[in-house]
Structure formats: C-alpha cells, structure tokens
Amino acid sequence: MTDSSPRSSAPADQTAANTQGIKIVGFLCNWCSYGGADTAGVCRFKQPTDLRIVRIPCTGRMDPLFVAKSLIYGMDGVLVSGCHPRDCHYAVGNFYARRRMEALKLFLPFMGIDTRRFRYTWVSASEGQQWQKVVTEFSEEIHRLGPNPGVGPRSGENSKISNGLR
Amino acid sequence: MLETDRIQLHKLVEEALPELDMMIGWTESCDPLQTTPVFIRDAKLISKLTLGPFCSQNLAGYLVKPPALESVPKDAKPIGICVKGCDSRSLVALIQEKFISRDRVRIFGIPCRGTIDWRKVAQRVGLSDVKSATVEDDFLVIDASGTTHRIGLEDVLARKCLGCRYPNPIIQDVLVGQVATPRSSSLETTYRDVDALDNKPIEERLAFWQSELDRCIRCYACRNACPLCVCQDKCIAETREPRWLTQRVGLPEKFLFHFIHAMHLAGRCTGCGECERVCPMDIPVTLIKEKLNKIMEEMLGYSAGLDPDGVPPLLTFNPGETEI
Ligand code: SF4
Ligand code: SF4
Ligand code: FES
C-alpha cells in the first residue's frame, strides 16, 4: 500500500518518539494531491512518516465508507485530499465528494467516533508546501489525540460489553 | 369514523379493481395489535381490506423487491397500493430514482393518525391473551385476560409517529378519509431523540451504540424491510467481491454494517421507521438514519420523498456551495 507512495522520497522524521504506532491513511486523488505529495517529496520537504497513502483516481471515487471502515477498524486518522473545487480533472468529482465527506464528518460524532480523526482538504499538484503543511498539521493533531480507541473489540477478543438479550 | 373510512376504501377499491393488476393493502391478522399485508386480485377479498392505527407496515417495498414488479409484464395494468403519509414518501423516493413509474401505481392515500408500536404495548400490559384492541380518541383500549386497559396514545405510538410532519400522503390518486393534523411541525420535535443523544458526551454516545449494536445479529431484516434498500443480493454487506464485511461477529462488523445502511440511505431515507420496526433485537436502527436526515435538512435543505421531480442531494452537486 505504501511502497509506491511519494513520501518514500522524503526524508523521514524519526525524531518524534510518539510517532511509533500511529497510523494515518491518506486517500489522495491521482491528479492533484498525489502530485502535490510527490512535489513535496521531490523538494525534500520534511514530512511526518505515519501517513499511508492510497491513490484514488479522483475524490469522486471516494466512498465515505472508506473513511468509516478505516476508523471503525482502528486507523488513527484519515485524510482525504483532492483537486481544488473547479479544478477536478473530471470536472465535477470533488463537487460530489465534498457533500459526502461533509455529511460523514457531521455524522461520525453521533456514533461516538471523534470527527477530528477525519479531515478532507484540497491540494493541487504544484502545492508541495501546502501539502507539507496539511499533512504535518493533521499528523500533529492525531498525535495529540493519541491512538484510536475504536468501537469495540473484534470478534474473538473479550467483550466487556454485556451481550445478548435485554 | 374508522368504519366509515373502511367502507369508503372498499368502495373505491371495488370501483378500481377491474383496471388494476392487483391491490396491495392491509388486513386483520391473528394478533389484534398488528395487521398483515394482503394482495388482492379477487373482488371477493376486498371486504378484508382494513386501515387504521394497526397498519404499521410500509407496503411500498413490495413494489420493488423481488419477486414483485419484475414478474409483472411491463404492459400489465397498474398496481393499487394503500399508503399512509410516511409510506407515500417512500413511493415518491422510488419514483424519483426511477425504480417505479408513476403510471404503474394507483395510489390509495390514507391520512394517518399514528400507528401503534406493539412492543410499547407489550411493555405495559404484556402480550398474553390480548382479545381486542381499539383506539378511542387519545387512548388505546385493550381487552386482555379479562381486564380492560386504557393507555394514552402518546405512550404506545411508534417513535416515528410522535415526530411525524407528514401524516397526509404526498401523492395519491384518491384520498381515503379525512385529512390529519401533523403531530410535529418543527425540526426540534421531529429530531428530539437525535438531539437527546447528541447532547450527551461523545463517550456516552459511543457506549450507547456499543451496547445497542452489540445485540445486532446481522440478520439484515432492517435492510430487507427498507423500501429504499434496493440492491438486495448485490448488497456490499454480503458480496465477496468487493469484500467489505466478514462473517465475524465483533462490534466493528456491526458498526460497519450500520454505517453501510446509513450512508447508502443518506439523503434518500424518508424516515419510514421500517428498519426499526422489524428489528428482532429491538435496536433503534432508524435513529441512526434520523441523524443523517437531520444533517441533510440542515446542511442542504433537503428532506427525502417530498418531491417526485427532486434529486437526492448526494447524487448531485452545486458548484456554488462554498461553505462546505
Ligand atoms: S434487523 Fe436488527 S438485528 Fe437484524 S441486522 Fe438489523 S439491526 Fe441487526
Ligand atoms: S432506512 Fe429505515 S427509515 Fe429509512 S427508508 Fe429505510 S426502512 Fe425507512
Ligand atoms: S481528479 Fe482530483 S478531485 Fe477529481
């Protein structure tokens, strides 16, 4: 998942001790933000290392359930980034996406999931610096929040919650 | 008054039946607190049709779920269907999304004064030996084990009915009975349960859903009963490719399943309450969707199932929206 990601060309930040174990997944649109991350890497901007990047063709491909599933199964943060509105390679993908992302963002806390663990943003291919800023800020925020407590034990693990019929 | 309405319904269906392929409605069942669906082709059965507070089932799903319409030839006569206010919104949503065409259905609209939730009755009087149940003014009168119970209607109406803004059908060909007054006219009343949970700290919200969803046996009755869950056996909760969910029984799987249902219904759910009504584990499933319905209303000013020409908001966009 991470092998071909542009961050591998950027120098790793090994200094922060609490970096360890934190996992952030980034869904980046192929045409802008993935390029932006690549630009940041080529320019050797210092970036946090806890981001795993999944390349998507366009944020229009972004199913809000990708975010939900990541957070439910214990990812510590999810970052979605695409072309600026009106700059989508496919013209309208991000117009669809932003409604869906915003709906999910407002919905997560109702189910007890901290909405700060999910962020969506727009970064173009030339904005290497902007990418560095976004990813650094988001990573810092996730480190402040610490590991994602998740929604409960997976099957097989001991459940502390009473089970069965009321 | 109910009797007059029933007679009017029988008369209207009798007149219409020769032009219909079939009539879908409700009929009395062995349980005085619940009715059961009935599918009528034979005029002799028309007298079995009933309406009223025990007709809680939303019949709209029958129009789209196999083996419904697909087995009916395209040139067949229209299908007659009884709908309450909420059920009519399901029809509107299905027409919007072109799952049914308006001219294939003959809609018998029934203004609704609320439906009875048998579970709430069970909590109060138990269910053994209920001989009869009727609604008199604002009371449910039950004759069980030789005693007569009078319960305030507010205490036994379905949750969705207490916050209902659209008791009268949105679309219909004929209206049966008198127009009803909505119980709610504000977002506050309609979404009171959503707000109550939202006002708790996030840890409590998580604990609430953990304990509720922990009971979920993933029988998918909620999905199957939902008139707008139209994927059926293509549902990603069950497909192996893509494989979203496994057969594991942990909380993450249960949460994810409910996220799937909720997100796929975002901007489409009409709040008909079927998912909650059919849940064998007594989980407030509709509450999850109510939150998204509230978000849709507040964020995009959209409420599902009110305009046959509308487009569900997540299936469209507006470039001018800058605040999102
Ligand atoms: S009907 Fe109830 S138990 Fe069955 S899948 Fe839905 S929420 Fe779970
Ligand atoms: S999700 Fe529940 S309330 Fe919404 S349309 Fe489906 S069955 Fe009705
Ligand atoms: S191609 Fe980048 S958001 Fe559509």
Side-chain angles (χ1 to χ4, degrees), chain A residues 1-58:
Chain A
M1 179 154 107
T2 56
D3 287 349
S4 63
S5 77
R7 97 188 148 84
S8 53
S9 59
D13 176 6
Q14 242 94 38
T15 53
N18 62 350
T19 298
Q20 261 153 28
I22 290 285
K23 284 192 190 139
I24 302 175
V25 59
F27 292 93
L28 309 193
C29 123
N30 178 49
W31 299 98
C32 287
S33 296
Y34 195 83
D38 203 24
T39 307
V42 169
C43 298
R44 311 211 128 243
F45 292 152
K46 204 167 159 207
Q47 291 178 57
T49 56
D50 27 36
L51 188 74
R52 276 88 168 143
I53 295 176
V54 176
R55 180 153 61 157
I56 51 175
C58 167

Side-chain angles (χ1 to χ4, degrees), chain B residues 108-127:
Chain B
F108 294 75
I110 298 169
C112 176
R113 283 164 186 83
T115 58
I116 303 292
D117 180 346
W118 65 265
R119 285 193 178 92
K120 291 190 182 171
V121 179
Q123 276 165 11
R124 283 165 182 270
V125 298
L127 281 182

Side-chain angles (χ1 to χ4, degrees), chain A residues 71-124:
Chain A
L71 291 176
I72 287 170
Y73 282 90
M75 270 288 168
D76 301 304
V78 183
L79 179 64
V80 177
S81 188
C83 314
H84 287 278
R86 296 185 189 275
D87 275 346
C88 171
H89 188 75
Y90 306 100
V92 296
N94 49 12
F95 289 146
Y96 284 102
R98 62 181 178 187
R99 283 187 165 191
R100 296 171 184 173
M101 297 299 111
E102 187 62 22
L104 181 77
K105 206 164 167 44
L106 296 169
F107 176 59
L108 285 171
F110 187 70
M111 301 303 290
I113 299 175
D114 193 332
T115 202
R116 290 173 296 180
R117 295 189 182 276
F118 165 48
R119 188 176 292 181
Y120 66 94
T121 174
W122 319 115
V123 173
S124 82

